[in-house]
């Protein structure tokens, strides 16, 4: 009975969104995007699209999303939004991070990306424009992928902090006490594989078109680069996502090496009480701000 009720609720929600969508104006970018997508299908093989297309989407998205945080360090006005103001970025750390990223991207992640084509073939994942899901279905699927990845990340990340394991794997990622956006994927190769597995679980569950692979890559990079940015910028649109953790939440984890283990949402840390120190820290901050105002 409960399952049927849930299905009915989801169907009703889907119909409601579809009804609202029918009143929205046409997206002016849809036709150019359609033309570009069909051009890609006509001129490249599925293997090239799945492999090199996925690599390009990842690399371009990653470094473009890192640009705002990188630029912030040169803008005095933005320094008031930096969470750990006593620990500025240095060229030495950023260069070291960049070199490690290139190694991880091309020697760890690229071999995994090479399996994308075979995944889509095995599960008969379509590439055609006509079978592409509507925008609201894609948004829902990306959210579902985020929920699954977040659960995986919480428990495996917490395990990597175990005293018998931490110094061998996860310590690499914590080399930077004050994180910056580009450092999001700075990690031991084993950690890239262990925590990265959570990214693929949602794809296995939800993927019904090649576009979801790329949309989820962009969403996941947007989130992880934001929480590692080191800046708590106001009017951040990601804060509109329910239960979104954000940069301040994850920055506390890098400061203290404990608690706040989830990647995207706050509920797992709240359920298991691993955000207790962060909550106490925020309350202390509020009291200090009130004293300063007086």
């Amino acid at each position: 009975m409960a399952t049927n009720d849930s299905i009915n609720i989801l169907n009703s929600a889907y119909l409601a969104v579809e009804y609202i969508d029918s009143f929205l104006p046409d997206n002016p970018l849809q036709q150019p995007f359609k033309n570009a997508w069909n051009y890609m299908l006509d001129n490249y093989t599925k293997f090239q699209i799945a492999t090199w297309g996925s690599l390009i989407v990842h690399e371009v998205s990653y470094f473009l999303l890192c640009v705002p945080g990188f630029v912030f360090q040169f803008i005095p006005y933005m320094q008031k939004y930096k969470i750990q103001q006593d620990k500025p970025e240095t060229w030495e750390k950023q260069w070291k991070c960049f070199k490690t990223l290139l190694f991880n991207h091309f020697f760890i992640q690229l071999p995994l990306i090479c399996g994308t084509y075979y995944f889509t073939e095995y599960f008969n994942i379509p590439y055609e424009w006509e079978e592409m899901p509507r925008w609201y279905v894609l948004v829902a699927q990306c959210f579902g992928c985020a929920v699954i990845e977040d659960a995986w990340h919480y428990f495996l990340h917490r395990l990597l902090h175990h005293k018998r394991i931490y110094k061998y794997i996860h310590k690499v990622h914590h080399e930077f006490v004050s994180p910056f956006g580009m450092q999001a994927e700075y990690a031991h190769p084993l950690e890239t594989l262990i925590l990265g597995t959570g990214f693929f679980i949602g794809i296995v569950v939800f993927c019904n078109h090649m576009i979801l692979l790329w949309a989820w890559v962009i969403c996941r990079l947007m989130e992880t680069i934001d929480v590692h940015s080191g800046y708590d910028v106001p009017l951040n649109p990601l804060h509109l996502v329910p239960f979104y953790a954000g940069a301040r939440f994850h920055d506390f984890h890098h400061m203290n090496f404990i608690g706040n283990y989830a990647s995207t949402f706050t509920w797992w840390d709240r359920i298991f009480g691993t955000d207790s120190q962060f909550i106490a820290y925020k309350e202390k901050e509020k009291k200090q701000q009130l004293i300063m105002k007086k």
Side-chain angles (χ1 to χ4, degrees):
M1 181 64 72
T3 303
N4 290 334
D5 289 343
S6 298
I7 292 173
N8 289 333
I9 291 170
L10 289 172
N11 287 336
S12 298
Y14 179 83
L15 290 172
V17 174
E18 195 174 44
Y19 179 74
I20 294 170
D21 181 59
S22 66
F23 289 97
L24 295 176
D26 292 337
N27 184 351
L29 298 177
Q30 181 172 325
Q31 191 59 44
F33 180 59
K34 178 181 179 180
N35 294 338
W37 188 271
N38 286 329
Y39 176 86
M40 178 183 70
L41 293 178
D42 293 338
N43 290 275
Y44 299 97
T45 65
K46 286 185 177 181
F47 179 83
Q48 291 172 326
I49 294 169
T51 304
W52 306 118
S54 296
L55 178 66
I56 292 169
V57 167
H58 180 272
E59 295 306 300
V60 171
S61 299
Y62 192 92
F63 289 106
L64 278 181
L65 289 167
C66 287
V67 168
F70 178 78
V71 172
F72 287 166
Q73 65 184 306
F74 305 110
I75 305 175
Y77 176 79
M78 296 303 298
Q79 295 314 300
K80 64 181 179 180
Y81 300 120
K82 184 168 172 58
I83 300 167
Q84 298 185 55
Q85 297 187 9
D86 59 329
K87 297 181 178 68
E89 297 91 340
T90 66
W91 284 109
E92 182 184 2
K93 288 181 178 180
Q94 290 175 103
W95 176 240
K96 183 179 181 181
C97 177
F98 180 71
K99 289 187 294 183
T100 302
L101 279 178
L102 290 182
F103 176 83
N104 284 348
H105 285 183
F106 290 96
F107 292 95
I108 306 298
Q109 295 182 14
L110 178 57
L112 296 174
I113 290 173
C114 286
T116 303
Y117 167 74
Y118 302 100
F119 167 81
T120 59
E121 286 295 291
Y122 183 80
F123 288 102
N124 294 316
I125 305 299
Y127 289 61
E128 289 71 25
W129 174 266
E130 291 73 20
E131 298 186 59
M132 190 176 291
R134 299 298 298 274
W135 65 268
Y136 45 84
V137 175
L138 202 58
V139 169
Q141 289 173 327
C142 286
F143 185 78
C145 287
V147 171
I148 292 172
E149 190 281 333
D150 184 68
W152 176 272
H153 192 100
Y154 176 84
F155 292 104
L156 272 294
H157 182 197
R158 190 172 177 180
L159 178 64
L160 289 175
H161 271 270
H162 191 281
K163 60 183 180 181
R164 293 184 179 179
I165 303 173
Y166 175 78
K167 65 180 179 179
Y168 299 109
I169 302 175
H170 194 52
K171 186 178 180 179
V172 173
H173 183 68
H174 276 280
E175 186 176 329
F176 303 109
V177 177
S178 178
F180 47 90
M182 189 169 58
Q183 189 240 336
E185 291 186 347
Y186 180 90
H188 190 285
L190 277 177
E191 178 174 339
T192 300
L193 294 172
I194 293 168
L195 296 185
T197 300
F199 173 89
F200 295 102
I201 298 174
I203 292 296
V204 173
V205 174
F206 293 108
C207 194
N208 60 351
H209 195 279
M210 182 63 198
I211 192 67
L212 176 63
L213 285 161
W214 293 354
W216 171 223
V217 164
I218 295 169
C219 288
R220 176 67 179 124
L221 291 180
M222 192 182 302
E223 177 275 325
T224 191
I225 291 170
D226 177 62
V227 302
H228 284 93
S229 67
Y231 290 84
D232 187 18
V233 181
L235 303 179
N236 184 337
L238 288 175
H239 291 166
L240 298 174
V241 178
F243 303 101
Y244 182 67
R248 189 169 291 275
F249 186 87
H250 192 70
D251 208 279
F252 181 85
H253 175 78
H254 276 265
M255 271 194 285
N256 298 278
F257 306 96
I258 192 169
N260 295 9
Y261 297 110
S263 59
T264 306
F265 304 108
T266 57
W267 51 59
W268 288 113
D269 285 287
R270 182 60 56 87
I271 290 169
F272 290 101
T274 46
D275 65 344
S276 58
Q277 292 188 29
F278 176 64
I279 292 171
Y281 172 77
K282 286 202 302 181
E283 289 176 352
K284 184 179 178 180
E285 265 193 338
K286 287 180 181 179
K287 288 179 181 178
Q288 289 176 341
Q289 289 173 357
L290 288 172
I291 292 171
M292 290 177 65
K293 286 181 180 179
K294 291 179 180 180

